[in-house]
C-alpha cells in the first residue's frame, strides 16, 4: 500500500474503538478487521501509543472499503465506541450528526457533542456481572454488531471465538451475546 | 491525533514487520510499540487486512517519535523484517540504502533491492528447532533488538513476556533469546 493524501472513497466506512489502556480495544478492532476481510473487504487498522507516563487514552481506528484503502486514517467516523471519558476529546473533529456513538454509561459521564445517536450502555458493568470487567471490549463488540449493519453478528462472533485465547472463549461468547442483546433491545425501544 | 499530510520529523524512526498472514507479525509490532511507549516515546502502529480470498501479505508498521506522531504512515523504513517472499514487493518505495533489512533465509529467496545491509537469518527454521514455527515472530523480534539500537533488548524482552499468553511464555523467551543471539553473532562477524 502506498501512502497518499487522498481522502477515502465515499463508499468506505470508518470505525473507532477507544477508551483507556488495558481495555482490550485494539483486539476488538482487530477482530472486526479480520471478520470484514473474510467478507471480502479491505481494512486498514491504526492505533497510537503514548508514553506510559502520560497514561490514558487507547484507540484503534478501522477504515473499511471494497477497494484497497489508499488513506488509512479516519477522517469522519461512521461509528465510535467509547469506554472511558479520557477518549472523548480525541474524537473531536471526527464526529458527524449521523455517527453512531456507543458509550459506556458507567465510564463516560460527558458524551461527545455532535452525534444525534448516542447509545449509552452499561458495557463494563455487564462485563463485571458476567465475571470479568476485562471482557468489556467484547461486550462492546457485540453491541456494535447489534447497532450497525457493518457485519453479520454471527460471522463476527465466529471470528472473535477464533482470536481470543482458548480458555477465555466461553466468557467472551457470553460477553458478545450480552452486548448484542443489549443493543437489540435498544434498537427495539 | 489529527491526520495531517506532514511527513514525519527527521528524528522519527520507522519500522515494518511483514510476512504472510498468521505469522504473528502484528503482535511483534505491538510488543515493540508497547516497549517504546514505556521508554517515553510516541508510537503509531498501522496494518492492513486484505480480503481473505486474496491471501498472503501481512504487515504492521511503526512510526516512532519523541513527539506526538502527526503522520503515522511509513514513508522510509529504518528497519524492515521480512518473513515471507510475498512481503517483498510491498516494501518497494520504502527502502533506503541504510535500511536494515532482516529477512528469513528459509522463506525469502529474493530479498528486496536497495538496502546495503540485508541480514539473512534462519528465523522460521530456528523457531521450528525450538519447538514451534509460530514463534518465528518472536525470533525476529529478538533479532531486531540485536541488530539495531532502537530499544534495550532486556526491556523489550520483559514487555514481550507480559504480552504473550502465559502458557507460551517459556517458548517465547527461548525464541527471543535465540533471535538475539543469532543477531549478535552476525554483528560480530
Amino acid at each position: 500500500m502506498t501512502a497518499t493524501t487522498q481522502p477515502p472513497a465515499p463508499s468506505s466506512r470508518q470505525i473507532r474503538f477507544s477508551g483507556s489502556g488495558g481495555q482490550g480495544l485494539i483486539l476488538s478492532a482487530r477482530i472486526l478487521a479480520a471478520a470484514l476481510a473474510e467478507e471480502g473487504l479491505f481494512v486498514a487498522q491504526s492505533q497510537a501509543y503514548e508514553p506510559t507516563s502520560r497514561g490514558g487514552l487507547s484507540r484503534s481506528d478501522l477504515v473499511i472499503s471494497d477497494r484497497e484503502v489508499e488513506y488509512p486514517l479516519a477522517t469522519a467516523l461512521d461509528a465510535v465506541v467509547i469506554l472511558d471519558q479520557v477518549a472523548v476529546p480525541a474524537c473531536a473533529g471526527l464526529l458527524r450528526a449521523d455517527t453512531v456513538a456507543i458509550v459506556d454509561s458507567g465510564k463516560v459521564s460527558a458524551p461527545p457533542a455532535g452525534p444525534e445517536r448516542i447509545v449509552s450502555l452499561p458495557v463494563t458493568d455487564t462485563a463485571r456481572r458476567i465475571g470479568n470487567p476485562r471482557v468489556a471490549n467484547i461486550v462492546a463488540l457485540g453491541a456494535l454488531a447489534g447497532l450497525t449493519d457493518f457485519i453479520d453478528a454471527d460471522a463476527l462472533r465466529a471470528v472473535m471465538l477464533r482470536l481470543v485465547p482458548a480458555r477465555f472463549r466461553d466468557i467472551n461468547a457470553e460477553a458478545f451475546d450480552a452486548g448484542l442483546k443489549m443493543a437489540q433491545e435498544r434498537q427495539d425501544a
Side-chain angles (χ1 to χ4, degrees), chain A:
Chain A
M1 186 171 51
T2 308
T4 78
T5 56
Q6 295 306 305
S11 68
S12 80
R13 274 184 167 153
Q14 305 181 12
I15 304 168
R16 167 170 291 191
F17 292 84
S18 62
S20 57
Q23 287 185 309
L25 293 158
I26 295 172
L27 176 60
S28 303
R30 192 178 147 224
I31 291 166
L32 180 55
L36 289 161
E38 291 202 359
E39 307 250 304
L41 294 165
F42 293 84
V43 186
Q45 180 185 2
S46 67
Q47 51 258 355
Y49 300 81
E50 300 203 335
T52 310
S53 56
R54 287 170 53 119
L57 175 65
S58 170
R59 64 110 194 126
S60 185
D61 293 348
L62 300 183
V63 177
I64 303 151
S65 177
D66 53 4
R67 283 164 282 174
E68 197 148 347
V69 179
E70 296 286 340
Y71 187 78
L73 302 179
T75 51
L77 297 170
D78 294 279
V80 60
V81 171
I82 305 177
L83 296 195
D84 193 288
Q85 187 68 43
V86 73
V88 171
C91 294
L94 297 176
L95 302 174
R96 305 177 310 202
D98 65 348
T99 303
V100 177
I102 301 171
V103 305
D104 190 334
S105 54
K107 298 271 190 177
V108 178
S109 52
E116 284 164 14
R117 188 153 167 234
I118 292 181
V119 185
S120 188
L121 298 171
V123 175
T124 303
D125 284 349
T126 300
R128 199 174 284 121
R129 179 177 54 72
I130 287 169
N132 191 336
R134 295 191 61 177
V135 297
N137 61 334
I138 304 299
V139 174
L141 193 63
L144 181 72
L147 286 164
T148 63
D149 62 355
F150 299 155
I151 192 157
D152 176 70
D154 290 337
L156 180 60
R157 190 180 191 276
V159 172
M160 180 276 292
L161 291 176
R162 232 174 41 225
L163 290 180
V164 299
R167 70 186 193 287
F168 296 126
R169 227 169 255 157
D170 289 349
I171 190 171
N172 278 300
E174 197 178 341
F176 186 90
D177 294 342
L180 182 63
K181 184 157 171 279
M182 271 199 304
Q184 286 168 337
E185 287 168 358
R186 194 62 64 95
Q187 288 279 57
D188 297 340

